[in-house]
Amino acid sequence: MYAILDIETTGGKYNEEGITEIAIYKFDGHKVVDKFISLVNPEREIQPFVVNLTGINSNMLKTAPKFYEVAKRIVEITEDCIIVAHNSSFDYRILRTEFKRLGFGFKRETLCTVELSKQLIPGQPSYSLGKLTRSLGIPVSDRHRANGDAMATVKLFKMLLTKDLDKYIIKNNIKKAVAEKRLNPNHKVIIDALPAETGVYYIHDADGKIIYIGKSKNIKHRINQHLTDKSTKSKKIQLQVASVTYEKTGSELVALLKESEEIKRNKPIHNRALRRNIFTHALYSYQDDNGYTILNIDVAKGDNRPITTFTNRQSAKSFMFRVVEDYNLCQKLTGLYPSKQSCFNYTIKECFGACIEEENPESYNKRVQQLIDKYSYENKDMLIIDKGRDIDERTVIYIQSGIFKGLGFFDLNYQITNTEVLESIITPMENNRDTQHIIQSFLRRNKRVKTISL
């Protein structure tokens, strides 16, 4: 659990500042579950430059509660939480100073979104909250006021959690929570806390280490299977599980891509069987001596670039039978009807005779190229748009020159085709044979998915 906060102060000498306004959002990693926002009477003078910056003046604070009157609420809302702030060393120092004046020792773990942003979103011209959120397309209202800046930090932190492919943030959070509580894991409690939604889930041991990563269209149901199944792997997980965290994706494609990337990065002990390539066969093309484009299913080879890939030979053949019908292709030239004569479809007038050179290569190859263009994204610049985590959000998968660059989430009012906006929201990911297979398979299975050519 996180307490994301922002504090406005009087300014002045080091450790002599007082709080004029505080906003705290209690955030469970997915949504805000509690909040506290208040002006505070600092019982000291506000520096003129601060008045000009924040708009908060002494007259506004005459009837505001003093710090000792809000201290209990601050303790309650931040209890068992990691404090998150933009330049957290400043906000945390100010809070501890105020509590020290009351004779109370205030101690919490902290995370700084400035440092996290430098690590997870490198190359930004500035990491000040205003400039960073502007470059990332995060809307900010009431700048230099505690509530506006705290809410902007919530949105920024949510984006950082998404970009944290190594799961540095959640692993450290889990380790702290388990160390404090040391509860024997109650499987029902774990399951009850999970959503019945699409996303990626992370099973942790008592040290916070990720021991298994998976994806599901229904996270709650899938974890229930893990914790009740009698297989050898499930029994091992049941003995080690201390907690489960998750990341909603909305999109099954995003969940598949994140699962693949994060298994490779984190190498969880119980994912070892899944680290092999997830496809075995591929569709290739070449020209024969007569100028016809031949389509051929073969075992996937690392040195050749396929049109698309398949988990097994049977799924490849099923695909070929379907596209032969859709594009009026020749069964013989697609490897489905070995023959020295015409193919079977020619006898029922569904093949135009390429198998016996009645149809000329130019006409036939044009239809083959239409198939290739549809199912291969080689050398293409394109976006794949899918559903997001809520109704006002979408996901985007970015392909540049046929290379998978990464993915991100965006609000519907974003100019997603603007390159600067696009690159700011994209979490870079590795392009490899697994990601190519995941994307190609998804495009084959979901014919209505929205794509945008760039």
Side-chain angles (χ1 to χ4, degrees):
M1 196 71 75
Y2 308 95
I4 303 175
L5 58 82
D6 186 79
I7 291 171
E8 303 299 332
T9 72
T10 58
K13 291 182 180 179
Y14 185 83
N15 276 359
E16 292 184 6
E17 311 101 317
I19 294 175
T20 58
E21 188 177 34
I22 185 167
I24 305 173
Y25 285 91
K26 193 170 186 176
F27 183 67
D28 67 0
H30 310 280
K31 62 184 181 299
V32 172
V33 296
D34 194 6
K35 65 180 178 180
F36 172 66
I37 304 161
S38 180
L39 291 169
V40 179
N41 185 338
E43 301 182 90
R44 64 197 66 215
E45 184 183 351
I46 305 173
Q47 298 295 312
F49 80 91
V50 175
V51 175
N52 291 332
L53 181 68
T54 65
I56 299 172
N57 57 52
S58 297
N59 287 333
M60 294 169 60
L61 304 178
K62 283 180 181 178
T63 59
K66 297 179 173 64
F67 184 78
Y68 74 86
E69 295 176 280
V70 298
K72 182 181 178 183
R73 177 68 173 125
I74 293 170
V75 170
E76 289 172 346
I77 197 171
T78 62
E79 192 169 7
D80 295 328
C81 290
I82 295 174
I83 286 180
V84 180
H86 206 69
N87 190 12
S88 61
S89 60
F90 171 79
D91 297 81
Y92 185 52
R93 176 180 67 80
I94 296 295
L95 266 181
R96 293 196 72 187
T97 299
E98 288 281 17
F99 278 107
K100 189 176 180 181
R101 289 170 185 154
L102 300 178
F104 184 85
F106 181 80
K107 191 173 182 180
R108 300 286 187 269
E109 298 289 325
T110 63
L111 275 174
C112 178
T113 51
V114 175
E115 297 304 317
L116 288 173
S117 297
K118 289 178 179 178
Q119 177 185 335
L120 298 170
I121 318 174
Q124 292 293 314
S126 171
Y127 288 90
S128 71
L129 185 61
K131 291 180 180 177
L132 182 61
T133 52
R134 193 179 308 119
S135 71
L136 297 175
I138 297 172
V140 182
S141 59
D142 236 1
R143 184 75 179 94
H144 296 300
R145 290 295 298 269
N147 186 36
D149 287 357
M151 180 47 68
T153 307
V154 170
K155 294 174 182 176
L156 172 61
F157 187 62
K158 192 173 182 181
M159 180 181 285
L160 292 171
L161 284 170
T162 300
K163 289 180 175 288
D164 182 20
L165 298 176
D166 292 322
K167 299 301 157 193
Y168 163 83
I169 299 171
I170 62 167
K171 281 191 284 191
N172 281 274
N173 186 24
I174 290 298
K175 188 171 183 178
K176 172 183 176 290
V178 172
E180 284 179 351
K181 296 181 180 179
R182 292 295 174 193
L183 294 174
N184 290 324
N186 182 317
H187 292 174
K188 187 176 186 304
V189 172
I190 289 174
I191 293 165
D192 287 347
L194 299 172
E197 296 188 45
T198 301
V200 182
Y201 57 87
Y202 312 90
I203 300 178
H204 302 259
D205 65 13
D207 294 321
K209 185 177 179 181
I210 297 173
I211 59 173
Y212 187 83
I213 296 175
K215 73 89 195 168
S216 179
K217 290 183 179 179
N218 185 328
I219 294 172
K220 182 190 286 285
H221 178 67
R222 187 71 187 96
I223 293 298
N224 185 60
Q225 288 179 324
H226 282 303
L227 299 184
T228 56
D229 194 61
K230 301 303 180 186
S231 69
T232 302
K233 184 178 76 174
S234 291
K235 286 179 179 178
K236 289 179 180 178
I237 288 174
Q238 289 160 24
L239 288 171
Q240 292 179 269
V241 60
S243 60
V244 177
T245 57
Y246 62 91
E247 185 174 337
K248 290 193 289 185
T249 61
S251 162
E252 184 188 6
L253 175 56
V254 171
L256 285 162
L257 290 168
K258 286 181 72 65
E259 178 196 36
S260 175
E261 175 92 2
E262 291 171 358
I263 287 173
K264 290 179 174 66
R265 284 177 177 250
N266 292 279
K267 297 179 173 59
I269 187 169
H270 295 303
N271 282 107
R272 281 177 180 162
L274 301 179
R275 291 179 204 156
R276 64 182 184 274
N277 285 331
I278 57 178
F279 59 92
T280 60
H281 289 74
L283 178 64
Y284 299 99
S285 68
Y286 65 91
Q287 290 238 314
D288 71 4
D289 294 338
N290 297 316
Y292 291 95
T293 301
I294 306 298
L295 297 176
N296 180 47
I297 297 166
D298 201 353
V299 174
K301 304 178 183 71
D303 53 346
N304 290 343
R305 298 195 71 173
I307 297 166
T308 188
T309 51
F310 306 90
T311 52
N312 54 58
R313 180 176 286 276
Q314 187 54 50
S315 66
K317 288 191 73 172
S318 298
F319 170 78
M320 287 306 301
F321 276 113
R322 189 174 74 249
V323 296
V324 162
E325 183 179 340
D326 290 345
Y327 291 88
N328 292 115
L329 301 183
C330 174
Q331 290 175 311
K332 181 178 173 181
L333 301 188
T334 54
L336 298 179
Y337 193 87
S339 171
K340 293 183 179 179
Q341 306 299 321
S342 63
C343 68
F344 174 75
N345 275 2
Y346 177 74
T347 65
I348 59 173
K349 300 187 174 5
E350 290 184 6
C351 168
F352 302 148
C355 44
I356 52 174
E357 299 182 44
E358 277 190 13
E359 181 181 14
N360 66 61
E362 291 76 15
S363 172
Y364 180 78
N365 292 347
K366 186 176 180 180
R367 296 197 304 282
V368 176
Q369 191 59 48
Q370 289 173 347
L371 180 152
I372 293 171
D373 289 342
K374 180 173 178 61
Y375 292 104
S376 170
Y377 57 81
E378 186 172 0
N379 300 321
K380 288 183 181 178
D381 292 324
M382 62 184 284
L383 306 177
I384 302 170
I385 309 298
D386 202 10
K387 58 183 139 182
R389 295 165 293 191
D390 55 56
I391 196 167
D392 295 322
E393 185 181 68
R394 295 291 182 271
T395 56
V396 57
I397 289 82
Y398 182 26
I399 310 291
Q400 186 181 61
S401 301
I403 304 296
F404 168 59
K405 305 299 287 185
L407 56 85
F409 300 90
F410 67 97
D411 292 334
L412 294 179
N413 59 349
Y414 278 32
Q415 295 296 318
I416 195 63
T417 54
N418 180 298
T419 304
E420 287 186 7
V421 172
L422 178 63
E423 291 181 350
S424 71
I425 66 171
I426 288 293
T427 300
M429 288 189 178
E430 183 183 349
N431 178 69
N432 54 47
R433 296 203 302 165
D434 288 343
T435 57
Q436 290 166 8
H437 169 72
I438 289 167
I439 293 168
Q440 289 166 340
S441 297
F442 184 83
L443 291 175
R444 280 203 312 272
R445 289 184 286 108
N446 298 271
K447 295 182 180 179
R448 296 183 180 179
V449 68
K450 181 179 180 181
T451 61
I452 299 174
S453 297
L454 297 177

